[in-house]
Structures are given as structure tokens and as C-alpha cells.
């Protein structure tokens, strides 16, 4: 927690305190559930197209999450405006999507921002129920290692913060 602000930085340290190696696969950077709103149909979900060097990069997208249907992102997806792979794709962590999401409840005018500091391969998922409860999971995709006895693995940093009401509100 940063004093004087509402930004919360997260990371997880996985530590093997046993006597045998422990396999680590696709560790979670951020996994949490929040009450995003009173109903799924009142929640706006914001994400940004990534830093690929072609038209359409760094554009904000807004969509509705459908209750019971998982919305997934993979940093190795094709660049969204193009929608298909290109030989120029570099498989960089922020090429297809910016490492940032936000949810905004149009009724209460509250919101939450999610972000992370990682340029490697990641995957994320969002699932909202009919009552506006949102489950979020962001993972280090494709990561595989054996953690030796006494060894550890620390995930990349993530953050959450409440959104200022006017920052994500739809234009009148």
C-alpha cells in the first residue's frame, strides 16, 4: 500500500520449505474476487490494445461482460485490430494488449483498475456473476520450473486501485 494513495501492489512468493523439488506451472500473479457492481449488466469492462507498431495500437476498448461467461486474454493473441497472426508479431507481453484493465459500475459510479509489470507471456480471465461479483485471475503463462528445497519464485508485481468516478464514466 502506498501512503497517501489507494494503489495496492501485489506479488506472491512461492517458497519450497520441503525436502523435495516442487513443480511450478503457470503461477498466478493476481487472483481475487470483488463486488464490481450490483448487477452484471451495469458493469463496463475496459481494456486497451497493446503497443504493436501499426494502426489501432493504444486504443481503449469497452465491452460488457456476460454473466457466467469467462472473458479471456492471452498476450500471445494476434494483434486485436488485425485479428490474425503476422510474421512481424514478436510475442512481447504488451504487444497485443496493454497490461491494464478496469471495471466500472455505471449505477454506483465506482470502479477498480488492475495492472501488472511484466513483459513476458501472460494470460488473464474475468468472470462475472448475475449479482455483479467479479473473479479475476492473471497468470505467468507457460512458466514451468522445479523449485528446489529452500528455493523460491516471486511473481511479477501487480496492482489494484479504485478508479476515480469521472475517469471511466461514459461521456454524456
Amino acid at each position: 500500500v502506498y501512503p497517501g494513495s489507494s494503489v495496492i501492489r501485489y506479488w506472491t512468493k512461492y517458497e519450497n520449505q520441503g525436502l523435495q523439488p516442487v513443480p511450478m506451472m503457470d503461477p498466478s500473479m493476481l487472483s481475487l474476487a470483488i463486488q464490481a457492481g450490483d448487477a452484471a449488466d451495469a458493469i463496463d469492462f475496459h481494456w486497451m490494445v497493446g503497443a504493436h507498431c501499426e494502426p489501432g495500437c493504444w486504443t481503449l476498448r469497452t465491452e460488457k461482460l456476460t454473466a457466467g461467461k469467462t472473458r479471456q486474454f492471452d498476450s500471445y493473441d494476434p494483434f486485436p485490430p488485425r485479428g490474425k497472426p503476422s510474421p512481424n508479431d514478436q510475442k512481447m507481453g504488451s504487444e497485443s494488449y496493454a497490461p491494464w484493465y478496469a471495471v466500472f459500475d455505471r449505477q454506483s459510479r465506482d470502479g477498480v483498475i488492475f495492472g501488472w509489470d511484466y513483459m513476458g507471456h501472460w494470460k488473464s480471465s474475468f468472470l462475472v456473476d448475475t449479482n455483479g461479483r467479479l473473479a479475476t485471475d492473471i497468470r505467468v503463462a507457460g512458466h514451468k520450473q522445479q523449485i528446489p528445497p529452500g528455493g523460491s519464485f516471486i511473481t511479477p508485481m501487480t496492482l489494484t486501485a479504485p478508479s476515480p468516478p469521472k475517469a471511466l464514466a461514459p461521456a454524456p
Side-chain angles (χ1 to χ4, degrees):
V1 177
Y2 288 93
S5 79
S6 299
V7 174
I8 301 172
R9 298 281 299 200
Y10 297 86
W11 63 94
T12 301
K13 181 177 183 180
Y14 295 95
E15 190 170 25
N16 182 358
Q17 297 181 351
L19 300 175
Q20 300 296 320
V22 174
M24 166 71 67
M25 294 176 48
D26 300 331
S28 179
M29 290 189 271
L30 177 67
S31 185
L32 60 94
I34 62 168
Q35 187 65 43
D38 292 330
D41 60 356
I43 299 170
D44 288 332
F45 179 70
H46 304 282
W47 57 276
M48 286 186 74
V49 174
H52 203 277
C53 188
E54 62 184 271
C57 67
W58 294 119
T59 55
L60 179 66
R61 305 292 174 96
T62 301
E63 61 187 71
K64 305 288 185 257
L65 295 174
T66 302
K69 182 178 177 189
T70 302
R71 176 61 164 104
Q72 296 178 329
F73 294 84
D74 184 327
S75 65
Y76 282 7
D77 285 346
F79 185 61
R82 185 178 357 98
K84 59 185 178 197
S86 163
N88 297 328
D89 289 344
Q90 300 298 313
K91 301 294 185 203
M92 187 175 79
S94 66
E95 186 174 80
S96 292
Y97 307 107
W100 174 93
Y101 301 112
V103 292
F104 180 76
D105 180 5
R106 291 184 313 282
Q107 293 173 346
S108 69
R109 308 200 50 83
D110 288 327
V112 178
I113 297 169
F114 306 93
W116 58 101
D117 194 7
Y118 182 59
M119 298 300 283
H121 186 195
W122 53 263
K123 291 183 179 182
S124 62
S125 64
F126 297 84
L127 178 64
V128 67
D129 68 15
T130 55
N131 297 317
R133 185 175 165 89
L134 178 73
T136 304
D137 187 50
I138 304 170
R139 296 187 168 271
V140 181
H143 181 85
K144 294 175 180 61
Q145 79 176 79
Q146 291 284 325
I147 300 178
S152 63
F153 173 79
I154 299 174
T155 65
M157 295 261 186
T158 62
L159 67 90
T160 60
S163 162
K166 292 181 182 175
L168 296 174

